[in-house]
Amino acid sequence: MHLFHYHLVTSKVREVEARYIGKLGFHLVARHGRVGEDLTSYEPGVSWSELDDSGFKLRLSELEKGAVNVVVQPGQWPLPRVDHLGLALDEDEFEAALDRAAHAELRIQEHGGRRTFVSTNAGYRLELHPPRDWIEELLEGAADLSLSELHLKADDPEEKADALASILDLEPDTDGGVHVGETLVRFVPGGPQGRPELHGELFV
């Protein structure tokens, strides 16, 4: 079980993207969006000013380093909030997680056979994957960078930790932490209702 991805929503996409690239050494995979009615993607090398001149409307920016993939999407919050966490599971873990979600009557969405989303009913979602070649290739980069801890501010840390733990059949800590494989996801108090707010990351 690996937490390899998280999806952020913020009104400061360019600043957040610049932090991951400039301070943390991530590389830009692509910026996805549209020009007029046409969906399009731009790989690194095209500046924001060029994109602005073309009429490009950003849908999301994808960043990567080592075994970590981060997506940043335009939204209403200056401080980034987490829409979902992406998890790589083995076949048995994947099927068991979906069974637990179905038993709990949580919403499960299949997206074209490429990804499966599960609502936690705690303000955020999980993107669950069985073994996939492209994820295995990403995880091979763990020696370069992996996510050791992810801290998220929430209105009810215990509720959000319990929601994550129950779907994955894990035991939450007493202080809002859940060990997902080698990554500690910790929910801390003082955050908003709904989507939790990004509070801190520890990369190794």
Side-chain angles (χ1 to χ4, degrees):
M1 183 181 299
H2 299 274
L3 197 166
F4 72 95
H5 163 73
Y6 44 105
H7 185 117
L8 304 174
V9 182
T10 177
S11 61
K12 297 184 178 295
V13 170
R14 299 187 189 193
E15 293 90 336
V16 171
E17 180 193 271
R19 170 183 176 263
Y20 281 98
I21 294 172
K23 292 187 176 181
L24 299 175
F26 279 64
H27 71 269
L28 176 67
V29 176
R31 298 182 181 118
H32 307 282
R34 64 173 64 242
V35 176
E37 297 301 315
D38 298 324
L39 294 174
T40 187
S41 296
Y42 288 93
E43 295 183 353
V46 183
S47 69
W48 278 114
S49 60
E50 291 175 283
L51 293 177
D52 291 339
D53 290 344
S54 73
F56 178 73
K57 300 298 183 185
L58 181 73
R59 183 173 63 87
L60 55 87
S61 177
E62 184 178 2
L63 306 146
E64 213 166 80
K65 183 178 181 181
V68 183
N69 175 279
V70 178
V71 163
V72 187
Q73 173 188 325
Q76 61 181 307
W77 303 288
L79 294 176
R81 297 196 190 181
V82 171
D83 177 81
H84 63 265
L85 305 174
L87 300 154
L89 310 175
D90 66 29
E91 290 285 1
D92 291 341
E93 290 170 337
F94 178 74
E95 294 298 335
L98 292 185
D99 285 346
R100 284 188 292 272
H103 182 73
E105 299 184 346
L106 299 175
R107 186 180 184 191
I108 301 172
Q109 295 174 288
E110 297 276 355
H111 282 243
R114 295 183 61 247
R115 58 197 68 199
T116 301
F117 288 95
V118 175
S119 172
T120 62
N121 282 354
Y124 65 99
R125 301 180 295 163
L126 302 182
E127 178 184 332
L128 303 181
H129 291 271
R132 300 188 191 278
D133 290 343
W134 67 269
I135 296 178
E136 291 300 321
E137 291 177 10
L138 179 72
L139 295 178
E140 288 174 1
D144 183 29
L145 187 84
S146 61
L147 181 64
S148 177
E149 296 188 19
L150 182 65
H151 292 200
L152 306 174
K153 289 181 75 173
D155 61 324
D156 189 337
E158 184 176 344
E159 176 199 25
K160 286 181 166 49
D162 286 347
L164 175 62
S166 63
I167 294 171
L168 300 177
D169 195 27
L170 301 172
E171 192 68 35
D173 297 341
T174 56
D175 55 355
V178 182
H179 290 270
V180 181
E182 297 182 359
T183 302
L184 171 63
V185 180
R186 185 178 301 286
F187 295 93
V188 299
Q193 294 182 341
R195 293 183 175 115
E197 187 177 277
L198 180 65
H199 184 57
E201 302 137 307
L202 177 61
F203 298 107
V204 294

